[in-house]
Amino acid sequence: MVTLELNEVGALYGKRLVVSGVTTPAMTAGEVVAVIGPNAAGKSTLFKRIAGLLNGPGEVCISGTEMAGKAIGYMPQDTSSNAVLTVYESVLLARKQGSAWSVNDADLVLIDHVMTALNITPIAFRDLGALSGGQQQLVSVAQTLVREPDIMLMDEPTSALDLHRQVEVLSFMQNQARQKNMIVLVAIHDLNQALRFADKVLLIADGKMRACGAPLSVINPEMLREIYGVDARIEKCSRQFDHVIVDGVDA
Amino acid sequence: MAVADNTILSEVAATGRGEYRARTRRKITILVGLGILLCLTFCIDLAWGPARYGLDQVILALFQPDAVSAQVRTVVWDIRMPVAVMAIVVGAALSAAGAQMQTILANPLASPFTLGISAAASFGAALGIVTTVPLLPVAAGLIVPVNAFIMALVATLFIHFVSQTRGVAVQTVVLLGIALVFIFNALLAFVQYLASEQALSQVLFWTMGSLSKATWPKIGITLAVLLIALPLFARNAWALTAIRLGEDKAASFGVNVRYIRLETMLVISLLASVPVSFVGTIGFVGLVGPHMARMTLGEDQRFFLPGSALCGALLLSVTSIVSKSIIPGVIFPIGIITALVGVPFFISLILSNVRRSW
């Protein structure tokens, strides 16, 4: 069972330390962790550091995986592409790296299943450049899933999706985390979705970790006032999901 | 996410991979078709000229040289064959180089010609011809191609490192390339000004671009470079295709983007400079060839790379025929023809980029 733990993790852009001192308790297989924080807080930078795309101090401790180098699947924030490739080819690309040109049926079967599950088979042979922002995001989710990682880092995967698709995708990712024993970290701005789907919430602001724990222990009126500058309360909706209700914005 | 039951899911899935396999077969058919077309233009190139032969005679001369007259044999094998083969090899090399430049710089306007690499190679070659000063200690006979390669390498690395600088936009790289063209053209003019009459005529050969001085050793070297470069590109086919999805995404697939870019740039400089050092500046093949391949085969490098090489070869082979057809008995420098065809294409690309991305 895979676990992920951050120990005093920081991230460097060139020589500038953009994120520092992120320490978390162990995240375990099957968990969905929402990474929240205001714009430019350092969420994307932290993801890049965890994915190994940026250097920095501290330790990203991953244990319980045998997939050295493929344990982490990272879905970047910018999913747009004008490459003259079909959706199917681009998803295959995520699966196939290395020097062998041949494509085996097992790879194609997996791609077909992921695309069907995400309901993007109708656009399978459309060019990437012809897709809407939301469709490109779904394709990016598919690309990350077919790599079958143990840990998924999804940087704002639902920002371009309509409400229905947001709930669908996050629910799907929650199921995937449970069924495939993955750890799913989702950077997200919608705190209601974080409250609904996350098992833990990691709050980042000004490049530093402010809190990490159960959703309601992190997302509370005090934090919303201090970090987001809003007067808000948490209430249960008719289906008993916790919900942030914003009463006003601090002057 | 509402997931359909397993039977429906399998049926939909089978359609997806079936369609993918069918499209792959179609692309292979297109590549084979391009190959056949290239064989045909090659034969026409051999048949065409002041003395015109039928295709049957050419095929006979190729496969049963003893069955044709000595005159036909000499014209086909000794006079036209080196030019026709050089057209194919140079076209393939320049187009493959252009395809990879467009891929790693994410820029549809990138090519050895538009980014100043051909101009740099021409300047290096001119420096070798006029001053006979080698930029590397090499044998006298290799001064010109080695100088051309060194200057092309300098230009390529300049473009590469500038393009890697944070905040440099795609358009900036093209503008820098155009600046390089101006700089190296000015330096070339300076060298020409100092050149003797005999050296000047040799330098002029580069600026025009011509296949007429093709020889078997030159063909051999250019072909060797092509045969080294293509497998190196082919080995990175998936990684290069992934780079077209964006640097972050390619890195998330496990691609070492910096290393692949640097390796590809070095191979491009070799692939772009060697043909130029032998046949001079032949512009726009490296721009048009990849776009023809992209439009017919897409950007999966497994098809795009051979497609670009074949389209470039086809383009220059056809141009070689055209260069002999404008005025009977006169063979125009091929660089003039490619520029005449390439410039309108270049303008149409710029205009289409204003309306939408490539």
Side-chain angles (χ1 to χ4, degrees), chain A residues 13 48 53 74 76 79-86 88-89 92-94 96-101 103-105 108-109 112-113 116-118 121 125 128 140 143 147 168-169 172, chain B residues 1-3 9-10 12-17 19-21 23 27 166 234-235 237-239 241-242 244-245 248-249 251-255 294 298-302 305-306 357-358:
Chain A
Y13 261 121
K48 285 185 183 177
L53 305 182
Y74 166 58
T79 55
S80 63
S81 171
N82 55 12
V84 187
L85 291 168
T86 63
Y88 203 95
E89 285 171 327
L92 174 65
L93 201 52
K96 283 287 306 178
Q97 287 297 327
S99 55
W101 277 24
V103 176
N104 61 43
D105 269 340
L108 298 181
V109 168
D112 282 333
H113 276 77
T116 307
L118 282 168
T121 38
F125 294 97
L128 287 179
S140 201
Q143 287 166 344
R147 290 180 62 73
E168 266 193 348
V169 167
F172 176 69
Chain B
M1 179 94 14
V3 178
L9 198 143
S10 301
V12 176
T15 317
R17 57 179 181 275
E19 176 68 18
Y20 172 77
R21 293 284 190 208
R23 282 170 179 251
K27 286 179 183 177
R166 190 176 288 274
R235 193 187 52 160
W238 293 108
T241 314
R244 283 292 292 117
L245 296 180
D248 279 351
K249 185 128 341 145
S252 77
F253 294 169
V255 176
R294 186 175 288 114
E299 285 189 280
D300 180 341
Q301 287 272 339
R302 294 174 302 153
L305 175 63
S357 57
W358 57 317

Side-chain angles (χ1 to χ4, degrees), chain A residues 99 101, chain B residues 96 100 223-237 240 263 267 271 305:
Chain A
S99 55
W101 277 24
Chain B
Q100 302 307 33
L223 185 63
V225 168
L226 184 66
L227 293 180
I228 290 168
L230 288 183
L232 285 172
F233 291 148
R235 193 187 52 160
N236 296 329
L240 284 163
E263 182 190 293
V267 179
L271 202 54
L305 175 63

Side-chain angles (χ1 to χ4, degrees), chain A residues 13 17 35 38-39 44 47 66 73 83 88 104 107 109 120 130 138 141 202 210 223 225 235 247:
Chain A
Y13 261 121
L17 193 63
V35 179
N39 290 328
S44 301
F47 273 14
E66 293 165 3
Y88 203 95
N104 61 43
D107 287 333
V109 168
I120 53 173
L138 289 171
V141 173
L202 173 63
R210 297 301 187 92
M223 181 281 280
R225 191 173 307 114
E235 288 190 1
D247 294 314

